[in-house]
């Protein structure tokens, strides 16, 4: 029996993986076992078909359903050479040069196979954690230097310690899987490709802080991640990985999936908590912090998917091993996501410190359109635009902050030289106006005024006066907003203005169209 | 049409959805998803029923329904096309795809075609940012879309 892997990841499915899997099964019949794995993260090769051979897993991609009969005739099932053949997938530079901790199993295993999970190192972290005192588990996470991967980069160990020290019979662990930032998709890929890893990470967190109940808040735009996580949770209960006395220990933990309803703001932690309570996703003022007064007023750990999914490896191999990777105060690995107008887009997990240029020009291969890169937006819709001239920047939280940019969740969106940066600045304000929760005035009203004032600038209406007004407005939004939505929207606006002022002169867009 | 009996059955169906989630903490969102799955939309007339069942004010329920863009107050078309307009898809031509789709279907974003076949919506990010422009059509994700492929997918869906 030959084993063939065809991803079930929704990005692979979006370009025909289901049809390819069906075609292979139809053409090869009982001779093959088709396993639907997660994606390896080389999204430009999707659908990437892998055939298990003595040499290793041989990859073919991108495979269209129509190409399947020809590939099988050419000997794909024996790993034969072909113009779509890339050789042994693990030996490709893209794969071999990564340091995959979080994503170690994604694309490798059948996401819902507990045997696969354990055979590839799963549960080692949880078993280690359950043998230790909660405080020792928190200390291990603190030693690792792990910082929140959702964007803010707050040290996870300190957050956990606060919840551990908070008194109360009921505590929660909440996973923020409301991955709304454009250019980020690693949370989705992990949930679809290795859901047990997130369950394991959350269970370790529950043991560490004394929580008995957990929620994974997944955005409704990710229906495949929702169904995979729900199935994985059912399987985990059946295996004693969740519920009462987990793996024979004293720890009990119940885990639930909750689905968002199309509100970007619910990626902000307090808004997510409101939403989990069944309310409008209105941002709360901080303090009190969620670690002390969180979900339903109880002490609550709120962490991003990748933060929690990094925890099993930290417990399995030790916090110091994790801390050896990375630079300065950015320890361990980050899952970078190459997106937008890029030749080779996907997920690249490596230690902090790699430069922006190595990722975009090197691994990413520049733009998909073949035109020069003009700007990249790092860290989602609230992140700054960085010009190609700053590609020497190392990917770490502090270096980016110093350059008035933001690493965020590690998403990098590439634009070629046809981009109109004034239009992108206007879109940032438009997006903020659309998605603001409306609680604070700088964000709710400021974003609407921002769109208007940018229109006046590009329309040539008192340009200098309106530029001054825009700067004023940005300063007010930064200083006066309740949360990052209004507070960081000026990032893309100001960076576009600083690096690409010519785009804001009247008639710039029409001139661009003419060229 | 027997308005009263139809009304009673709506209330029964609403209560059944509520019962299925009664033991969950902060159950309003799961209930609203359940109502929309049951009826295809959230009719304003179910708001008072939900309020009574959950011991909330009508204003509270109405406020939650209207906060979230997923909840619709009227039925959608046979096919729902959600086009991604976020930055990553914009960098590979999402705005042009939106213009094309509006032209092909003859409606603007947020509208349903007069024959009820297609509802066109915008969405900000589907998590398919390396294979844009992306769209979600009846819950399934599609990547590397252009006008031709979009029309093809919908034509195939209509046959099935």
């Amino acid at each position: 029996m030959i084993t063939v892997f065809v991803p079930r990841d929704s990005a692979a499915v979006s370009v025909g993986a289901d049809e390819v899997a069906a075609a292979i099964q139809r053409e090869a019949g009982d001779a093959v076992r088709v396993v639907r794995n997660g994606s390896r993260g080389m999204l430009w090769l999707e659908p990437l078909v892998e055939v298990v051979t003595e040499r290793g897993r041989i990859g073919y991609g991108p495979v269209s359903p129509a190409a399947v009969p020809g590939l099988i005739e050419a000997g794909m099932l024996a790993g034969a050479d072909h113009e779509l053949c890339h050789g042994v997938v693990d030996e490709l530079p893209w794969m071999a040069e990564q340091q995959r901790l979080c994503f170690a199993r994604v694309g490798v295993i059948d996401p819902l196979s507990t045997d696969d999970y354990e055979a590839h190192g799963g549960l080692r972290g949880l078993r280690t954690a359950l043998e230790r005192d909660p405080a020792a588990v928190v200390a291990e996470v603190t030693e690792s230097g792990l910082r929140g991967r959702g964007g803010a980069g707050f040290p996870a160990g300190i957050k956990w310690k606060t919840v551990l020290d908070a008194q109360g019979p009921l505590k929660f662990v909440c996973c923020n899987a409301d991955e709304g930032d454009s250019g980020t998709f690693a949370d989705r890929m992990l949930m679809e490709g290795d859901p047990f890893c997130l369950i394991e990470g959350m269970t370790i967190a529950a043991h560490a802080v004394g929580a008995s109940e957990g929620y994974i808040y997944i955005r409704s735009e990710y229906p495949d991640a929702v169904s995979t996580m729900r199935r994985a949770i059912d399987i985990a209960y059946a295996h004693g990985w969740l519920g009462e006395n987990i793996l024979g220990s004293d720890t009990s933990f119940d885990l639930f999936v909750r689905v968002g309803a199309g509100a970007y703001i619910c990626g902000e932690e307090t808004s997510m908590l409101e939403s989990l309570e069944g309310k409008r996703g209105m941002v709360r003022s901080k303090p009190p912090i969620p670690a002390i007064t969180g979900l339903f007023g109880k002490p609550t750990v709120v962490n991003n998917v990748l933060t929690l999914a990094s925890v099993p490896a930290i417990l399995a191999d030790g916090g110091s091993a994790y801390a050896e990777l990375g630079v300065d105060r950015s320890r361990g690995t980050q899952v970078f996501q190459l997106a937008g107008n890029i030749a080779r887009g996907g997920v690249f997990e490596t230690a902090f410190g790699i430069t922006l240029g190595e990722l975009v020009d090197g691994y990413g291969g520049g733009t998909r359109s073949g035109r020069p890169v003009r700007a990249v937006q790092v860290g989602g819709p609230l992140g700054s635009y960085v010009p190609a001239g700053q590609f020497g920047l190392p990917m770490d939280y502090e270096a980016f902050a110093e350059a008035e940019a933001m690493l965020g969740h590690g998403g990098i969106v590439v634009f070629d030289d046809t981009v109109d940066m004034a239009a992108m600045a206007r879109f940032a304000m438009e997006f903020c106006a659309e998605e603001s929760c409306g609680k604070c005035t700088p964000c709710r009203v400021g974003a609407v005024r921002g769109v208007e004032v940018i229109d006046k600038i590009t329309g040539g209406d008192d340009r200098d006066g309106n530029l001054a007004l825009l700067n004023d407005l940005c300063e007010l939004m930064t200083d006066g907003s309740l949360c990052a939505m209004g507070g960081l929207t000026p990032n893309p606006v100001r960076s576009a203005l600083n690096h690409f002022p010519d785009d804001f002169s009247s008639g710039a867009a029409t001139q661009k169209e003419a060229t | 049409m027997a308005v009263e009996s139809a009304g009673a059955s709506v209330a029964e169906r609403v209560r059944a959805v509520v019962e299925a989630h009664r033991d969950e903490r902060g159950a309003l969102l799961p209930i609203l998803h359940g109502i929309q799955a049951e009826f295809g939309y959230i009719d304003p007339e179910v708001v008072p029923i939900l309020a009574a069942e959950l011991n909330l004010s009508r204003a509270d329920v109405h406020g939650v329904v209207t906060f979230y863009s997923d909840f619709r107050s009227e039925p959608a078309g046979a096919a729902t096309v959600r086009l991604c307009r976020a930055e990553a898809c914009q960098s590979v031509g999402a705005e042009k795809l939106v213009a094309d789709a509006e032209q092909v279907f003859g409606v603007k974003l947020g509208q349903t075609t007069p024959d009820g076949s297609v509802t066109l919506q915008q969405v900000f990010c589907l998590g398919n940012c390396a294979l844009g422009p992306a769209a979600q059509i009846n819950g399934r994700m599609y990547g590397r879309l252009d006008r031709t492929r979009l029309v093809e997918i919908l034509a195939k869906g209509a046959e099935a």
Side-chain angles (χ1 to χ4, degrees):
Chain A
M1 180 78 82
I2 300 159
T3 302
V4 177
F5 289 91
V6 184
R8 47 176 284 166
D9 181 275
S10 51
V13 170
S14 84
V15 286
D18 283 350
E19 290 78 4
V20 169
I24 291 172
Q25 198 73 72
R26 193 169 56 236
E27 292 292 322
D30 294 339
V32 301
R33 181 176 74 107
V34 176
V35 176
R36 303 302 302 273
N37 55 334
S39 169
R40 290 280 201 158
M42 298 181 286
L43 294 173
W44 75 98
L45 293 179
E46 294 294 358
L48 174 71
V49 175
E50 290 177 79
V51 179
V52 178
T53 72
E54 281 174 5
R55 285 184 292 148
R57 284 162 65 158
I58 312 283
Y60 299 81
V63 175
S64 66
V68 169
L71 275 163
I72 290 181
E73 198 161 310
M76 175 180 82
L77 297 178
D81 204 16
H82 186 274
E83 58 177 346
L84 294 179
C85 180
H86 302 282
V88 178
V89 170
D90 286 327
E91 292 170 5
L92 294 174
W94 176 283
M95 294 305 300
E97 289 165 23
Q98 294 190 53
Q99 289 165 297
R100 287 197 162 194
L101 298 177
C102 224
F103 266 62
R105 283 176 296 263
V106 176
V108 176
I109 63 167
D110 174 349
L112 293 171
S113 161
T114 53
D115 289 342
D116 275 14
Y117 186 67
E118 287 198 83
H120 286 83
L123 291 191
R124 278 199 304 137
L126 179 58
R127 288 186 204 281
T128 308
L130 291 174
E131 283 165 12
R132 296 194 197 167
D133 283 345
V137 176
V138 172
E140 196 74 59
V141 172
T142 306
E143 192 190 347
S144 75
L146 176 66
R147 292 167 69 174
R149 295 288 186 256
F154 188 83
I158 292 176
K159 196 183 271 186
W160 288 21
K161 176 103 174 39
T162 310
V163 180
L164 173 64
D165 291 343
Q167 299 303 312
L170 182 60
K171 298 180 190 176
F172 296 104
V173 175
C174 291
C175 173
N176 184 343
D178 194 71
E179 186 181 44
D181 286 352
S182 175
T184 63
F185 42 86
D187 294 355
R188 179 186 62 66
M189 287 182 64
L190 186 113
M191 290 188 287
E192 292 180 14
D194 192 13
F196 294 127
C197 182
L198 178 56
I199 294 172
E200 184 180 349
M202 290 186 75
T203 309
I204 294 170
H207 172 70
V209 304
S212 55
E213 216 172 290
Y215 292 89
I216 307 174
Y217 186 92
I218 308 178
R219 59 202 298 262
S220 63
E221 289 83 352
Y222 287 0
D224 297 331
V226 170
S227 69
T228 305
M229 276 318 309
R230 285 194 164 139
R231 286 173 64 193
I233 287 173
D234 287 344
I235 295 168
Y237 269 103
H239 281 73
W241 299 0
L242 282 174
E244 303 281 308
N245 305 110
I246 290 165
L247 299 174
S249 71
D250 293 336
T251 299
S252 299
F253 181 55
D254 286 312
L255 185 56
F256 307 93
V257 168
R258 283 292 174 86
V259 182
Y264 173 79
I265 193 63
C266 290
E268 195 282 334
E269 63 175 356
T270 62
S271 164
M272 183 194 79
L273 294 174
E274 291 287 304
S275 186
L276 278 170
E277 292 182 10
K279 301 174 187 160
R280 293 162 66 89
M282 305 288 277
V283 171
R284 296 179 186 169
S285 310
K286 286 193 277 193
I289 54 171
I292 293 168
T293 307
L295 187 62
F296 298 104
K298 308 296 181 199
T300 304
V301 169
V302 182
N303 278 140
N304 166 260
V305 174
L306 299 185
T307 316
L308 291 161
S310 297
V311 168
I314 289 169
L315 266 293
D317 299 319
S320 54
Y322 192 82
E324 272 168 26
L325 299 167
V327 289
D328 298 327
R329 283 168 52 214
S330 302
R331 311 311 311 182
T333 61
Q334 170 70 297
V335 181
F336 297 106
Q337 298 134 80
L338 297 171
N341 192 338
I342 187 141
R344 295 192 292 269
V347 153
F348 196 91
E349 180 175 357
T350 190
F352 287 99
I354 189 172
T355 67
L356 187 54
E358 284 173 80
L359 284 170
V360 174
D361 287 337
Y363 293 105
T367 62
R368 193 202 294 176
S369 60
R371 303 182 65 99
V373 175
R374 183 149 189 251
V376 299
Q377 188 179 28
V378 185
L382 308 177
S384 293
Y385 285 99
V386 180
Q390 290 186 1
F391 271 13
L393 265 180
M395 304 299 286
D396 85 75
Y397 293 111
E398 276 68 34
F400 262 66
E402 215 165 283
E404 293 178 339
M406 185 178 89
L407 192 57
H409 188 27
I412 302 167
V413 177
V414 179
F415 294 83
D416 72 12
D417 62 350
T418 62
V419 65
D420 173 0
M421 293 308 297
M424 297 318 294
R426 184 187 190 279
F427 177 77
M429 286 292 191
E430 185 193 344
F431 181 71
C432 183
E434 181 77 27
E435 298 292 342
S436 171
C437 82
K439 184 154 177 169
C440 72
T441 315
C443 176
R444 183 186 67 244
V445 178
V448 178
R449 295 288 171 261
V451 172
E452 292 167 1
V453 76
I454 291 173
D455 281 345
K456 283 182 186 162
I457 292 165
T458 52
D461 180 357
D462 183 17
R463 195 167 176 276
D464 290 343
N466 278 307
L467 276 173
L469 199 60
L470 179 62
N471 257 316
D472 229 33
L473 177 66
C474 283
E475 205 166 295
L476 181 110
M477 287 176 74
T478 306
D479 295 340
S481 298
L482 201 50
C483 80
M485 176 92 235
L488 298 181
T489 291
N491 277 346
V493 176
R494 282 183 144 167
S495 56
L497 196 55
N498 288 342
H499 297 303
F500 309 97
D502 292 350
D503 287 24
F504 289 78
S505 60
S506 71
T510 37
Q511 278 170 25
K512 199 153 196 112
E513 261 166 39
T515 55
Chain B
M1 190 178 164
V3 174
E4 282 200 357
S5 68
S9 100
V10 165
E12 277 165 27
R13 285 160 73 192
V14 169
R15 286 193 195 102
V17 172
V18 172
E19 282 314 309
H21 297 282
R22 172 95 53 202
D23 297 335
E24 293 171 23
R25 289 183 200 273
L28 186 52
L29 249 71
I31 288 171
L32 291 174
H33 276 301
I35 299 281
Q36 184 146 301
E38 175 74 20
F39 297 96
Y41 65 108
I42 298 174
D43 194 308
E45 79 175 63
V46 310
V47 168
I49 307 173
L50 286 174
E53 285 294 318
L54 297 168
N55 198 22
L56 295 168
S57 74
R58 286 186 198 192
D60 282 336
V61 177
H62 174 79
V64 173
V65 172
T66 50
F67 183 85
Y68 296 96
S69 61
D70 279 5
F71 300 133
R72 21 184 333 115
S73 59
E74 51 193 42
T80 300
V81 178
R82 307 174 79 192
L83 298 169
C84 178
R85 276 190 67 219
E87 288 88 344
C89 283
Q90 283 192 33
S91 76
V92 285
E95 295 297 302
K96 182 171 183 307
L97 184 66
V98 168
D100 282 348
E102 287 182 337
Q103 197 188 30
V104 167
F105 301 116
V107 288
K108 296 278 176 199
L109 289 175
Q111 296 177 342
T112 302
T113 54
D115 67 352
S117 61
V118 175
T119 295
L120 208 56
Q121 291 179 332
Q122 67 173 353
V123 61
F124 293 112
C125 197
L126 295 164
N128 199 20
C129 317
L131 296 174
Q136 199 179 56
I137 302 173
N138 294 336
R140 182 183 153 172
M141 187 140 81
Y142 291 89
R144 286 199 178 126
L145 282 173
D146 55 23
R147 182 185 183 124
T148 316
R149 209 170 153 236
L150 184 64
V151 170
E152 267 175 25
I153 290 164
L154 282 161
K156 264 189 205 163
E159 282 165 22

